[in-house]
C-alpha cells in the first residue's frame, strides 16, 4: 500500500505477525484434516484386516474400538468360583450391618479381571436333566463343608464321585414332596394354574423350587454368596433356576407386583426388625392376591419352641409382632397347619387407605417412590401401594398355561407397547426359535437346560421354547424400557441387570446364552470385551451362545470369541439378506495349566 504521493508506507511489524500466524493456523488445520482422513482410512483398513486375522478391535473405553490382540490368558486356579460382584475377598471393605457386605459390590474398572475362569480339577460335563435334579458330580461343586454341616438335614449326601440330593431340608424331614403336598392342601391355587411364579428366599440347595417345577410352578431360588455352602451353585448345577442375592439394604432386582408366591423355610430373616423392611420388600414384589408362605420360627411355636433355644413367651411375642406387621401392610392369614403358615396380600385397595393416617406404621411410600425401580435402589421402610386397577392382581390373570400368550394389561404402560406389538413379538419369536433349532439342534435336547436371554423384550424367546425341557432367565437391561412386568405377567421369570457389570451367578451355570442386539443397544456404555468375558465366565464348558447382531458387531465379536477358545460359525437369519447375522458358538472344555490332572 502507498501514500498519496506514491511512496510506500513503512512496513507494519504487527500486521506481518498476524499474517504469519494466520498462515500457520491454516496450514496446521489443513494438515490435521489430511491426517484425519489418512488415519480414518488406516483404521478402517486395519479393522477389516483384524476381523479376519488374530487381532480384534476392542474398546479401551465404552463405545470406542481399537485393534488389540484377542488372546485371553487363564485366571489362576483359585478363581474357579469367581463371582466378581459378590467376591468374599472384598467383603472386609464393607460393613457388617444387615449383612451389607454380602450385597453386590462390583470391583472398579482397574481391578476387573481380563482372564478366562478355569473349571475345577476333574470337572465333567454336568449330568443332564432330569437326572441332575437328584445328583451332580462332586468335582463340579467340590464342597465338603455343606455335606458335613447339613448331613442331619438330608440336603445332600456324598456317594462316591457324586452328590445325591434326597430332597430333605430343615423344615421338611419327610422330604420336600410331602412338604409341598401339605402346602398345596393349604393353597389350592397351586394346583389349578393360578400360581405360576414363585421366589424362595434363603433357598438352601433349591429342593423346594426343584419340586415345584414338576407341578408347573417356576421358582427363582435366592441365596447369598458365602464361603462354604455355594447353595446357588448347587441349585444351578442341578438345573434349577437360582441367582445370588440377599434382602439387605437394596431392593431385589425384580419389578413390583410380579411373583404369585413367596416362600421362606427357616431362612432366619429377621422379618420384624429394621422397620419391617425385609417383609416390605416381599410385599413390593408380590402381586395382590399372591401368597407368602413361612415355615419355621415363630410358626408353630407352641410345639417347636424347645428346639429353638428360646422360651415360649419370646416365640409368642415374635409371632404376634409378625402378625401385626403383616396386617398393617394389608396381608391376611389365609391358612395354617402344623409348621406352615400362609398369608395372602389383599386385592382390595381400600385396606391401604388406613396408611393415610400419619400415625400408622409402616407408612405409605410417597408418590416419588418408583415401585419398579430395583437396580441399586435402597430399601425404604414404607408400603408400596399397588395400583387400584385389576391388571396386576393374581385373579385377573389367565391361568397357566393360557396366560403365556395373552397380552398383559401392563404392556400398555410401556412406551410403544400395545396388544398388537405384543402379538407381533410373540409370533416373531416362534419363527426365530424354529430357525435357531435348525442351526443348533441341541436346543430341545438334554444338552440344554439352563438358558439365559440376555436382552429380552417381552420374553418371546422363552415363550417360544416353553415346551422344551429347559428354563429361561429373562434379563432386562436396567437402562432399557421396563418390560419385565410383562414377562412376569405371562408366567415367566427374569431380573433387571446392567451388563456393564458381572451377573449374580457362579461360573459355569448356563448351557445356552442368547444375545439379541445387546451390543447394539449397550456398546456406547459397556466395553464389549468385558461383556464377552462375563459370558465366558457364566457359560458351561461345551455350552452354546447364539449371538444375533448387525454384521458390524458380528465382525467385532467373532475374533473375541476365538480368543476365548470358542468355536463359532456365522449364519444367516431366518430372513436371509438382512443386515443382521447370527453367530453360533460353543465354548470348549479346557483345564487350567495349574491343574493337577
Amino acid at each position: 500500500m502507498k501514500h498519496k504521493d506514491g511512496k510506500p508506507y513503512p512496513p507494519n511489524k504487527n500486521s506481518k505477525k498476524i499474517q504469519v500466524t494466520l498462515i500457520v493456523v491454516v496450514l496446521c488445520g489443513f494438515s490435521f484434516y489430511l491426517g484425519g482422513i489418512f488415519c480414518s482410512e488406516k483404521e478402517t483398513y486395519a479393522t477389516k484386516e483384524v476381523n479376519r486375522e488374530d487381532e480384534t478391535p476392542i474398546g479401551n473405553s465404552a463405545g470406542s474400538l481399537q485393534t488389540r490382540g484377542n488372546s485371553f490368558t487363564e485366571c489362576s486356579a483359585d478363581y474357579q468360583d469367581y463371582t466378581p460382584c459378590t467376591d468374599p475377598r472384598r467383603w472386609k471393605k464393607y460393613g457388617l450391618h444387615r449383612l451389607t457386605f454380602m450385597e453386590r459390590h462390583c470391583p472398579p474398572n482397574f481391578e476387573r479381571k481380563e482372564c478366562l475362569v478355569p473349571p475345577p480339577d476333574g470337572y465333567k460335563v454336568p449330568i443332564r436333566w432330569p437326572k441332575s435334579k437328584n445328583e451332580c458330580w462332586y468335582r463340579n461343586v467340590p464342597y465338603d463343608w455343606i455335606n458335613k454341616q447339613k448331613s442331619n438335614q438330608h440336603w445332600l449326601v456324598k456317594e462316591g464321585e457324586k452328590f445325591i440330593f434326597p430332597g430333605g431340608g430343615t423344615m421338611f424331614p419327610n422330604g420336600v414332596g410331602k412338604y409341598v403336598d401339605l402346602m398345596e392342601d393349604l393353597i389350592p391355587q397351586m394346583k389349578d394354574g393360578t400360581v405360576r411364579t414363585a421366589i424362595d428366599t434363603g433357598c438352601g440347595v433349591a429342593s423346594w423350587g426343584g419340586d415345584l417345577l414338576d407341578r408347573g410352578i417356576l421358582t427363582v431360588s435366592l441365596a447369598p454368596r458365602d464361603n462354604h455352602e455355594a447353595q446357588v451353585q448347587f441349585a444351578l448345577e442341578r438345573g434349577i433356576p437360582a441367582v445370588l442375592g440377599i434382602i439387605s439394604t437394596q431392593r431385589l432386582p425384580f419389578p413390583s407386583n410380579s411373583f404369585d408366591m413367596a416362600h421362606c423355610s427357616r431362612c432366619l430373616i429377621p422379618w420384624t426388625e429394621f422397620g419391617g423392611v425385609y417383609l416390605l420388600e416381599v410385599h413390593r414384589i408380590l402381586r395382590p392376591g399372591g401368597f407368602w408362605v413361612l415355615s419355621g420360627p415363630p410358626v408353630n411355636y407352641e410345639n417347636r419352641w424347645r428346639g429353638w433355644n428360646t422360651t415360649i413367651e419370646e416365640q409368642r411375642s415374635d409371632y404376634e409382632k409378625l402378625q401385626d406387621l403383616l396386617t398393617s401392610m394389608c396381608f391376611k392369614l389365609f391358612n395354617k397347619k402344623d409348621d406352615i403358615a400362609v398369608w395372602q396380600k389383599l386385592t382390595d385397595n381400600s385396606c391401604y387407605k388406613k396408611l393415610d393416617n400419619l400415625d400408622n406404621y409402616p407408612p405409605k411410600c410417597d408418590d416419588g417412590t418408583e415401585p419398579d425401580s430395583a437396580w441399586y435402589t435402597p430399601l425404604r421402610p414404607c408400603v408400596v401401594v399397588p395400583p387400584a386397577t385389576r391388571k396386576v392382581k393374581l385373579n385377573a390373570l389367565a391361568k397357566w398355561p393360557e396366560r403365556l400368550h395373552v397380552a398383559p394389561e401392563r404392556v400398555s404402560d410401556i412406551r410403544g407397547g400395545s396388544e398388537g406389538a405384543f402379538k407381533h413379538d410373540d409370533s416373531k419369536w416362534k419363527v426365530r426359535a424354529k430357525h435357531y433349532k435348525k442351526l443348533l439342534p441341541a436346543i430341545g435336547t438334554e444338552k440344554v437346560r439352563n438358558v439365559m436371554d440376555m436382552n429380552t423384550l417381552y420374553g418371546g424367546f422363552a415363550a417360544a421354547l416353553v415346551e422344551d425341557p429347559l428354563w429361561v432367565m429373562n434379563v432386562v437391561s436396567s437402562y432399557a424400557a421396563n418390560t419385565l412386568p410383562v414377562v412376569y405377567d405371562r408366567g415367566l421369570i427374569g431380573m433387571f441387570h446392567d451388563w456393564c457389570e458381572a451377573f449374580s451367578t457362579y461360573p459355569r451355570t448356563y448351557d445356552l446364552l442368547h444375545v439379541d442386539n445387546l451390543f447394539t443397544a449397550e456398546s456406547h456404555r459397556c466395553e464389549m470385551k468385558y461383556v464377552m468375558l462375563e459370558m465366558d465366565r457364566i457359560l458351561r464348558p461345551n455350552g452354546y451362545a447364539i449371538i444375533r447382531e448387525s454384521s458390524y458387531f458380528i465382525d467385532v465379536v467373532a475374533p473375541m470369541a476365538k480368543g476365548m477358545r470358542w468355536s463359532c460359525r456365522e449364519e444367516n437369519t431366518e430372513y436371509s439378506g438382512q443386515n443382521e447375522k447370527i453367530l453360533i458358538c460353543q465354548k470348549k472344555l479346557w483345564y487350567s495349566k495349574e491343574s493337577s490332572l
Side-chain angles (χ1 to χ4, degrees):
M1 192 171 181
K2 297 181 179 180
H3 285 286
K4 290 181 181 178
D5 60 1
K7 294 181 180 180
Y9 282 112
N12 187 324
K13 294 181 180 180
N14 289 335
S15 176
K16 185 174 284 187
K17 287 181 180 178
I18 292 172
Q19 292 175 356
V20 171
T21 301
L22 287 171
I23 292 171
V24 170
V25 170
V26 171
L27 288 175
C28 286
F30 187 63
S31 299
F32 180 81
Y33 173 73
L34 290 176
I37 294 176
F38 174 75
C39 289
S40 297
E41 292 178 346
K42 184 177 180 181
E43 287 177 1
T44 302
Y45 174 75
T47 299
K48 289 181 179 178
E49 291 300 314
V50 161
N51 287 336
R52 292 174 171 79
E53 302 298 332
D54 295 331
E55 292 184 316
T56 181
I58 300 177
N60 58 351
S61 62
S64 63
L65 298 175
Q66 69 175 22
T67 58
R68 191 183 297 176
N70 71 341
S71 180
F72 297 100
T73 59
E74 297 177 13
C75 300
S76 60
D78 61 336
Y79 278 86
Q80 66 184 30
D81 288 329
Y82 182 47
T83 55
C85 295
T86 50
D87 187 359
R89 296 174 178 87
R90 306 177 71 244
W91 280 355
K92 291 182 180 179
K93 297 182 179 182
Y94 307 102
L96 298 176
H97 177 66
R98 287 166 54 180
L99 302 180
T100 306
F101 65 94
M102 285 187 170
E103 292 187 299
R104 286 180 61 89
H105 301 286
C106 299
N109 286 338
F110 64 85
E111 290 184 13
R112 297 183 76 164
K113 298 295 178 184
E114 298 186 18
C115 53
L116 306 177
V117 175
D121 284 359
Y123 180 88
K124 297 181 180 182
V125 173
I127 295 170
R128 304 302 186 185
W129 183 267
K131 286 184 65 178
S132 64
K133 178 182 172 183
N134 300 316
E135 59 185 54
C136 76
W137 297 116
Y138 164 72
R139 296 306 314 174
N140 288 12
V141 196
Y143 296 108
D144 285 318
W145 186 92
I146 188 173
N147 178 42
K148 295 173 182 177
Q149 293 295 317
K150 301 295 183 179
S151 59
N152 64 324
Q153 297 172 18
H154 307 291
W155 281 21
L156 71 169
V157 179
K158 187 173 183 293
E159 294 183 1
E161 295 185 341
K162 294 179 179 179
F163 275 129
I164 307 299
F165 300 91
T170 311
M171 296 309 301
F172 28 94
N174 297 320
V176 67
K178 296 290 186 182
Y179 176 82
V180 178
D181 287 344
L182 174 57
M183 194 177 297
E184 285 188 337
D185 290 341
L186 299 177
I187 312 172
Q189 293 87 338
M190 290 176 63
K191 294 185 284 188
D192 66 1
T194 300
V195 172
R196 164 61 181 172
T197 60
I199 183 169
D200 189 13
T201 54
C203 64
V205 292
S207 294
W208 185 76
D211 185 86
L212 288 178
L213 287 172
D214 294 334
R215 305 176 192 238
I217 297 175
L218 193 56
T219 304
V220 176
S221 295
L222 185 76
R225 172 70 152 100
D226 55 38
N227 276 325
H228 304 294
E229 298 181 24
Q231 299 170 67
V232 165
Q233 193 171 16
F234 275 112
L236 289 160
E237 187 70 17
R238 299 175 68 185
I240 301 170
V243 293
L244 288 168
I246 183 173
I247 309 178
S248 177
T249 67
Q250 307 285 334
R251 283 180 171 180
L252 297 176
F254 310 112
S256 64
N257 307 302
S258 294
F259 289 97
D260 305 333
M261 181 166 62
H263 173 255
C264 167
S265 172
R266 197 173 169 81
C267 54
L268 304 181
I269 296 173
W271 296 110
T272 58
E273 295 182 19
F274 310 111
V277 289
Y278 305 136
L279 197 49
L280 284 163
E281 177 62 358
V282 171
H283 176 276
R284 183 186 70 86
I285 63 176
L286 193 65
R287 67 174 72 250
F291 301 94
W292 185 58
V293 183
L294 178 66
S295 63
V299 176
N300 199 16
Y301 67 87
E302 303 94 333
N303 301 308
R304 292 286 193 178
W305 66 270
R306 290 180 182 84
W308 295 341
N309 298 319
T310 182
T311 66
I312 190 170
E313 290 78 17
E314 288 177 348
Q315 286 300 305
R316 180 186 296 112
S317 175
D318 288 347
Y319 184 80
E320 290 172 352
K321 287 179 184 177
L322 179 63
Q323 180 62 53
D324 289 344
L325 179 60
L326 286 161
T327 301
S328 70
M329 58 179 71
C330 298
F331 279 97
K332 69 175 181 180
L333 184 62
F334 183 79
N335 218 334
K336 182 181 176 184
K337 186 177 181 181
D338 297 336
D339 295 324
I340 301 176
V342 181
W343 285 267
Q344 185 177 32
K345 183 175 174 180
L346 296 179
T347 56
D348 184 1
N349 272 45
S350 62
C351 170
Y352 295 99
K353 292 180 180 179
K354 67 185 179 183
L355 301 180
D356 294 330
N357 185 345
L358 297 179
D359 294 330
N360 190 79
Y361 193 87
K364 179 170 63 175
C365 292
D366 57 55
D367 293 338
T369 303
E370 170 54 49
D372 289 349
S373 177
W375 188 247
Y376 294 120
T377 301
L379 288 180
R380 295 178 58 191
C382 59
V383 179
V384 175
V385 178
T389 57
R390 283 178 47 83
K391 59 184 175 183
V392 299
K393 298 176 181 179
L394 184 58
N395 59 7
L397 298 174
K399 294 182 179 181
W400 181 262
E402 288 77 14
R403 68 191 270 189
L404 181 64
H405 299 294
V406 175
E409 288 187 48
R410 282 200 277 188
V411 73
S412 61
D413 295 340
I414 303 163
R415 185 176 180 181
S418 65
E419 182 178 354
F422 174 88
K423 292 293 185 182
H424 173 74
D425 185 79
D426 201 33
S427 59
K428 175 182 72 177
W429 280 108
K430 289 178 182 177
V431 175
R432 289 185 173 186
K434 186 177 180 180
H435 183 63
Y436 287 167
K437 288 183 176 181
K438 290 180 181 178
L439 301 179
L440 188 59
I443 300 175
T445 72
E446 62 176 14
K447 293 182 179 180
V448 174
R449 172 63 185 171
N450 302 350
V451 180
M452 180 185 291
D453 190 0
M454 296 175 61
N455 188 39
T456 194
L457 181 61
Y458 301 135
F461 173 69
L465 300 178
V466 74
E467 297 297 331
D468 295 319
L470 54 82
W471 60 271
V472 180
M473 179 61 71
N474 294 281
V475 180
V476 172
S477 170
S478 56
Y479 285 82
N482 178 24
T483 61
L484 199 51
V486 172
V487 172
Y488 275 92
D489 286 352
R490 61 193 306 197
L492 304 171
I493 58 172
M495 59 189 292
F496 295 116
H497 183 64
D498 177 2
W499 283 111
C500 296
E501 300 179 359
F503 192 78
S504 296
T505 192
Y506 282 88
R508 304 173 301 280
T509 47
Y510 283 86
D511 298 305
L512 172 63
L513 301 177
H514 176 245
V515 177
D516 178 29
N517 285 285
L518 174 66
F519 298 121
T520 299
E522 301 282 26
S523 63
H524 67 290
R525 295 192 314 104
C526 308
E527 192 172 345
M528 287 183 287
K529 171 181 63 177
Y530 290 117
V531 179
M532 290 292 291
L533 283 169
E534 178 62 3
M535 291 172 65
D536 181 80
R537 185 184 74 86
I538 67 179
L539 190 61
R540 285 173 166 174
N542 291 339
Y544 305 94
I546 300 176
I547 303 174
R548 186 187 189 101
E549 283 286 355
S550 67
S551 298
Y552 169 77
F553 282 110
I554 291 293
D555 288 343
V556 172
V557 166
M560 292 187 201
K562 181 180 178 183
M564 297 190 308
R565 311 178 191 184
W566 292 10
S567 59
C568 300
R569 71 179 192 274
E570 184 178 311
E571 299 282 357
N572 288 324
T573 65
E574 57 282 351
Y575 302 112
S576 57
Q578 288 185 326
N579 184 44
E580 274 190 332
K581 294 292 182 181
I582 297 173
L583 200 65
I584 304 290
C585 299
Q586 184 174 28
K587 176 181 175 179
K588 298 177 181 177
L589 173 58
W590 55 271
Y591 294 98
S592 171
K593 294 176 182 177
E594 302 176 26
S595 173
S596 59
L597 294 178

